[in-house]
Amino acid sequence: MEQNLYAQLSSLLVYRGLLQLKPVSALQTLLKNLEAGEAKVDDYANVFYALTAEGCDSLAEYLHEHIRYDESPFAEAAARGQVSGVMERAARHDIQVLQNVSNLRCKELKGELAAQQPSSWRTLVEELPEWNVGAAFSYEELLRFYQVNGSGTFARYQAFVWQEGQLYPVPHPDFLPEGSMWGYQRQRNQVIENTRALMAGKTVNNVLLYGASGTGKSATVKAMLGMPEFEGLRLIEVQKEELTDIPHLVRTLGHRPQKFIIFIDDLAFDKADKTFSSLKTILEGGLEPRPANVAVYCTSNRRHLVRQNFSDRSGDEVDANETIQDKTSLAERFGLRILFSELNKAQFIQMAEDLAHAKGLNVDHETIQAEAVRWDIRHPSRSPRSANQFVASMMAKYC
């Protein structure tokens, strides 16, 4: 076994956070005790247990995963394109140590461990299972990875929720593939083209998708996650109640290589709600500019976003008209405003029929038309959501 491996592992600099991982901590204990001549079978077993508890049978692969995706000073510097000479030397030192650890053969470990046990234990030690070895990473490979994918949680996940000043990753985001959506192709193409410009590093508009409920506004935004050309896109969903924290969030995104959509769904403000001022500042008008890799996409059932009452237009306020203009100006700060209007009757019936055929419903044209007309009478919403509900009811009835 390579000499002083315990000392090497203890000397980690920019990847020092790895020492907190249970398999690495257990290995450090095993190496320390082997060096002191005090190793126990438990020490080896603890490493094996900690590694398999993480679902891994390869120490090299386990380390590679955490080197790529855990936060570290080197990963942050590489993502920013600001790796100094000192940082490079530290990273190269750490990576060499981690390569040595990854290449450490279990047979050698067990040989030293067996020599420190009672003679009756040695056969048991020699027959203990071994984890796989072999380093699969290098300085150059990791540098390229950080430069392309960034570091930490943004390199691992595509979707996030912002709550109480913290980002929470969504490992399996819920979205419909763009190809499985019906209707509103022109509107969706506008969103896609704006997102393509964002991915290309161009200056883009913030986007407001507004209109009837169930028309696919939210689905249009979330569908970006499933498009191969948007692999470097990250979607961060923010609830209206968290808007006051958005400037802090946006400030942390500007240096990263990914592109970000701040997604605010179903947005509407009451007249006494002051959080809309925070959104206005982010969209346009703050001293600190919005980073070029960040855009805000909002959906709403309202064109002007801020609810108004007739009392707002009467009252005794001297500058009531200016107050009304202030409230309605929020929507104007979105450079791209896309209307998702409700379908007319003919469009709805045609969509329902097309969707029924696409889902394999083997029912004649006249029956589908008649059922769709009856559905339209009982359900006032004419939208893709309603059309899907109609087809589901038909499938239950005729299949």
Side-chain angles (χ1 to χ4, degrees), residues 132-192:
N132 295 328
V133 300
F137 50 86
S138 66
Y139 174 85
E140 289 74 19
E141 179 265 326
L142 290 169
L143 179 64
R144 286 193 299 271
F145 179 85
Y146 299 139
Q147 289 171 338
V148 173
N149 300 285
S151 64
T153 189
F154 288 122
R156 185 189 292 266
Y157 301 104
Q158 280 190 292
F160 303 83
V161 175
W162 176 259
Q163 290 180 337
E164 299 180 350
Q166 297 289 329
L167 270 178
Y168 296 91
V170 182
H172 306 290
D174 180 27
F175 64 88
L176 285 174
E178 202 279 333
S180 67
M181 299 172 65
W182 290 78
Y184 302 96
Q185 189 63 56
R186 179 181 60 81
Q187 289 89 333
R188 294 203 306 276
N189 284 342
Q190 288 180 273
V191 177
I192 292 170

Side-chain angles (χ1 to χ4, degrees), residues 266-383:
D266 197 20
L267 185 63
F269 295 100
D270 293 318
K271 63 178 181 178
D273 195 333
K274 301 301 182 183
T275 58
F276 78 95
S277 297
S278 300
L279 182 57
K280 285 173 64 176
T281 301
I282 297 160
L283 295 173
E284 180 186 338
L287 180 62
E288 186 176 7
R290 173 171 55 88
N293 65 333
V294 178
V296 179
Y297 287 20
C298 292
T299 70
S300 178
N301 295 337
R302 292 174 173 270
R303 166 64 176 83
H304 290 300
L305 301 178
V306 182
R307 297 185 180 93
Q308 294 187 66
N309 300 322
F310 282 111
S311 59
D312 296 336
R313 299 176 180 271
S314 52
D316 59 358
E317 185 179 351
V318 174
D319 296 320
N321 188 54
E322 290 185 7
T323 300
I324 293 170
Q325 289 179 353
D326 181 57
K327 291 179 178 179
T328 58
S329 68
L330 178 59
E332 296 173 1
R333 294 176 184 248
F334 291 89
L336 186 57
R337 300 182 290 276
I338 304 173
L339 171 62
F340 283 68
S341 57
E342 190 174 62
L343 302 171
N344 60 37
K345 182 176 181 178
Q347 289 171 331
F348 173 76
I349 292 174
Q350 185 62 55
M351 177 180 287
E353 184 173 4
D354 292 343
L355 188 57
H357 290 316
K359 293 199 173 185
L361 182 62
N362 190 20
V363 178
D364 61 80
H365 166 77
E366 289 74 15
T367 300
I368 293 178
Q369 289 265 323
E371 293 279 8
V373 169
R374 283 193 287 271
W375 180 275
D376 181 60
I377 293 171
R378 296 193 302 269
H379 301 81
S381 173
R382 294 170 178 164
S383 66

Side-chain angles (χ1 to χ4, degrees), residues 71-292:
E71 297 284 358
S72 70
F74 174 57
E76 279 286 306
R80 292 173 181 265
Q82 299 174 350
V83 178
S84 66
V86 172
M87 181 69 74
E88 179 179 345
R89 288 192 292 274
R92 287 186 181 277
H93 165 272
D94 282 13
I95 292 168
Q96 182 61 62
V97 170
L98 294 167
Q99 287 174 335
N100 294 341
V101 170
S102 298
N103 287 319
L104 180 60
R105 295 175 63 83
C106 293
K107 188 173 183 179
E108 296 178 35
L109 280 174
K110 292 192 300 180
E112 290 198 23
L113 178 62
Q116 297 179 19
Q117 307 310 306
S119 58
S120 60
W121 287 48
R122 291 176 182 174
T123 300
L124 170 66
V125 172
E126 292 169 357
E127 293 177 349
L128 287 173
E130 303 175 2
W131 57 81
N132 295 328
V133 300
F137 50 86
S138 66
Y139 174 85
E140 289 74 19
E141 179 265 326
L142 290 169
L143 179 64
R144 286 193 299 271
F145 179 85
Y146 299 139
Q147 289 171 338
V148 173
N149 300 285
S151 64
T153 189
F154 288 122
R156 185 189 292 266
Y157 301 104
Q158 280 190 292
F160 303 83
V161 175
W162 176 259
Q163 290 180 337
E164 299 180 350
Q166 297 289 329
L167 270 178
Y168 296 91
V170 182
H172 306 290
D174 180 27
F175 64 88
L176 285 174
E178 202 279 333
S180 67
M181 299 172 65
W182 290 78
Y184 302 96
Q185 189 63 56
R186 179 181 60 81
Q187 289 89 333
R188 294 203 306 276
N189 284 342
Q190 288 180 273
V191 177
I192 292 170
E193 287 303 317
N194 196 72
T195 308
R196 282 186 180 136
L198 175 67
M199 299 303 296
K202 300 178 181 178
T203 301
V204 301
N205 284 310
N206 296 309
V207 182
L208 173 63
L209 298 81
Y210 70 97
S213 176
T215 49
K217 301 183 296 295
S218 302
T220 294
V221 178
K222 291 188 286 187
M224 303 294 106
L225 292 176
M227 301 181 68
E229 63 182 300
F230 297 151
E231 185 178 354
L233 180 67
R234 300 295 180 263
L235 187 67
I236 302 176
E237 185 171 12
V238 178
Q239 300 297 323
K240 188 191 74 171
E241 295 76 15
E242 308 286 341
L243 287 179
T244 54
D245 290 331
I246 284 192
H248 169 68
L249 168 62
V250 171
R251 198 173 295 120
T252 66
L253 304 177
H255 70 277
R256 300 185 181 274
Q258 296 93 346
K259 312 301 180 185
F260 297 90
I261 290 176
I262 306 295
F263 177 44
I264 308 169
D265 196 21
D266 197 20
L267 185 63
F269 295 100
D270 293 318
K271 63 178 181 178
D273 195 333
K274 301 301 182 183
T275 58
F276 78 95
S277 297
S278 300
L279 182 57
K280 285 173 64 176
T281 301
I282 297 160
L283 295 173
E284 180 186 338
L287 180 62
E288 186 176 7
R290 173 171 55 88

Side-chain angles (χ1 to χ4, degrees), residues 1-12 27-28 31-32 35 59 96-105 108-109:
M1 184 177 70
E2 185 169 339
Q3 297 298 311
N4 300 319
L5 198 52
Y6 167 68
Q8 290 185 41
L9 196 54
S10 300
S11 74
L12 288 178
L27 178 63
Q28 193 177 25
L31 294 171
K32 178 181 180 181
E35 190 173 297
L59 182 59
Q96 182 61 62
V97 170
L98 294 167
Q99 287 174 335
N100 294 341
V101 170
S102 298
N103 287 319
L104 180 60
R105 295 175 63 83
E108 296 178 35
L109 280 174

